[in-house]
Amino acid sequence: MHSVAMCPICQAGLCGIRICTGDDPLVPAPRGGFLLCDECEAIWMSPDVTTAHHYPSSESPECPICHGDLWGNSVWADNQQIQSLGWSQAVNPDLDQTATGS
Amino acid sequence: MNSASESPGNQSRRSGVRGSGGGRHRGKSLASLVLVCLLAAYALLQPELNSRFGWNLPGLPDGTSQVEPGSRSPDNGGVLAPRARNNQPAANQPTAKATVRPDGHDADAVEADSGNSAKNPPGDVRNQRNNPRSDPGSGPTTSDPDRWQDYLKSIGADRYRSPEGLLYTPGSAEGHRLEHLRRHTIDQPERPGPHGVFDGGMLGALQTIDSAYAKSKRGIQTTKRTDQGRTIYTVDLGHRVGFVGGREGQRRRHPMARRVRLVLEDARVITAYPL
């Protein structure tokens, strides 16, 4: 999991970069990225936590890109995917950790 | 004839030898008796001395030695973690649930037994071990002796209500809020930033969260922030409820946590952790 910042809302979560995979998690081509706090689940649509955020439904969270199931239709982005999003510069390497969850 | 004609010197020598052997035997018996008495006295006094003077005298190797409060009663294969000292958590090992109750007792050890899968709530995260969302590094353990299931009331499929009225429902990357909460009963030393860890395992966490929620409802020692339907409470419980783990906690030598942050959507728990 590659993160941009600690969550400014809950102060304990990591704002990791997720990438929408659509219905098929094996589809390599990314459709779009977003930030997700792995603690409070706040979502940012750009790699900047000072921009507007929103929360997904707590019980039926949707991927903000494809509106499918948040956890089924998106994954934590790897380096290559982050590069393809053009968000590499936003990653804070000090916050990198091995993957937790999908 | 020969024996009858034996000289008194021979007799006395023999009896002397016999006498000295018996004395040695009596001496050994006496030593054994004293040793047994000493061991018995030690076995009786050792716990008392340990508790009274805070010593760490070892127990006798007969399986009767006691697990000291603060030391880890293993559900991790019998490996004891180092003792917690000065309210510091035991050395945090990713595989061990370093959980010490506020009263100093190991909750998991106290509550050991359960393991009754029939009692697991249907939404019990243990039933979701194969859930691809589960984090293999922090997912449910195969031996979880907590009886926290009894603390919550099932109010429908995968939905639970705590005595204070908090709701634990499906959601989060782990599949269920309870499973997310479980992450905060175990340190994640490699996790960047702080990672709040509740004392007392799942049951301790649920009870602490309820206490914090009760306090927040009365507005005592509570800060409250609302944001798009979420309410974020930070409640000072005034006593140790856990410790700060993660990389930051490790760097700061795992400071004690006495506050709890609750992130709620109405009464639904999104996340909660000590800080």
Side-chain angles (χ1 to χ4, degrees):
Chain A
M1 175 175 164
H2 301 285
S3 303
V4 165
M6 294 299 297
C7 178
I9 298 162
C10 68
Q11 278 109 33
L14 294 165
C15 299
I17 300 174
R18 278 187 87 85
I19 194 159
C20 173
T21 57
D23 292 334
D24 186 355
L26 299 178
V27 172
R31 297 186 183 182
F34 57 96
L35 296 186
L36 177 76
C37 171
D38 69 351
E39 198 65 60
C40 72
E41 296 169 6
I43 287 176
W44 291 262
M45 299 308 294
S46 72
D48 179 357
V49 294
T50 63
T51 60
H53 65 275
H54 72 276
Y55 300 106
S57 159
S58 60
E59 287 198 47
S60 305
E62 288 184 0
C63 168
I65 308 290
C66 72
H67 303 288
D69 174 50
L70 172 63
W71 305 109
N73 288 23
S74 69
V75 294
W76 298 116
D78 61 26
N79 277 323
Q80 200 177 347
Q81 290 167 327
I82 291 170
Q83 209 166 3
S84 72
L85 290 169
W87 290 8
S88 298
Q89 293 301 313
V91 172
N92 181 344
D94 290 340
L95 301 179
D96 273 0
Q97 66 168 0
T98 51
T100 57
S102 61
Chain B
M1 180 68 184
N2 278 347
S3 62
S5 64
E6 244 178 344
S7 67
N10 279 349
Q11 282 181 357
S12 77
R13 248 197 321 276
R14 197 174 293 166
S15 72
V17 168
R18 209 183 293 128
S20 124
R24 206 175 291 154
H25 186 69
R26 271 196 301 276
K28 278 184 184 171
S29 300
L30 193 64
S32 301
L33 193 64
V34 169
L35 187 64
V36 168
C37 287
L38 284 173
L39 286 173
Y42 179 79
L44 286 171
L45 290 173
Q46 179 251 350
E48 177 67 20
L49 291 170
N50 280 350
S51 67
R52 182 170 295 186
F53 299 110
W55 294 347
N56 191 20
L57 297 171
L60 295 176
D62 60 357
T64 60
S65 60
Q66 300 183 347
V67 176
E68 293 177 43
S71 67
R72 176 68 194 141
S73 174
D75 60 358
N76 57 343
V79 180
L80 287 172
R83 278 183 84 199
R85 288 186 185 169
N86 302 328
N87 275 343
Q88 298 285 330
N92 300 293
Q93 303 173 3
T95 52
K97 288 167 62 178
T99 52
V100 180
R101 276 180 160 178
D103 61 7
H105 291 283
D106 183 304
D108 295 333
V110 172
E111 290 142 15
D113 127 296
S114 149
N116 181 357
S117 60
K119 290 194 113 184
N120 293 351
D124 186 346
V125 286
R126 278 177 263 190
N127 300 334
Q128 302 172 5
R129 278 187 199 123
N130 296 325
N131 185 338
R133 294 177 195 169
S134 293
D135 173 6
S138 60
T141 55
T142 50
S143 59
D144 182 1
D146 280 1
R147 293 195 64 85
W148 56 267
Q149 295 90 340
D150 296 341
Y151 186 74
L152 300 175
K153 183 180 177 186
S154 175
I155 55 167
D158 288 353
R159 304 167 70 82
Y160 304 93
R161 183 187 291 137
S162 75
E164 280 296 331
L166 287 171
L167 299 176
Y168 294 90
T169 61
S172 82
E174 293 78 14
H176 200 282
R177 300 294 170 187
L178 287 167
E179 182 65 351
H180 180 81
L181 177 62
R182 186 185 291 276
R183 291 177 56 171
H184 289 286
T185 63
I186 308 169
D187 191 12
Q188 297 183 357
E190 297 305 315
R191 181 179 166 81
H195 177 70
V197 182
F198 285 106
D199 285 341
M202 278 297 280
L203 181 59
L206 292 168
Q207 290 171 329
T208 300
I209 291 166
D210 255 6
S211 300
Y213 185 52
K215 218 168 171 180
S216 74
K217 285 191 283 190
R218 300 195 304 270
I220 302 169
Q221 290 177 297
T222 301
T223 60
K224 179 182 176 184
R225 194 155 42 100
T226 54
D227 178 31
Q228 301 177 41
R230 297 279 178 97
T231 308
I232 303 167
Y233 293 107
T234 306
V235 186
D236 190 338
L237 286 168
H239 61 83
R240 179 190 162 108
V241 296
F243 64 92
V244 180
R247 280 191 210 161
E248 185 180 318
Q250 204 164 29
R251 185 175 53 77
R252 295 166 50 201
R253 299 189 175 194
H254 302 110
M256 172 183 82
R258 47 185 274 175
R259 292 179 299 156
V260 175
R261 179 157 294 151
L262 306 175
V263 180
L264 308 178
E265 189 180 84
D266 299 322
R268 198 179 283 116
V269 175
I270 302 300
T271 186
Y273 45 88
L275 67 160

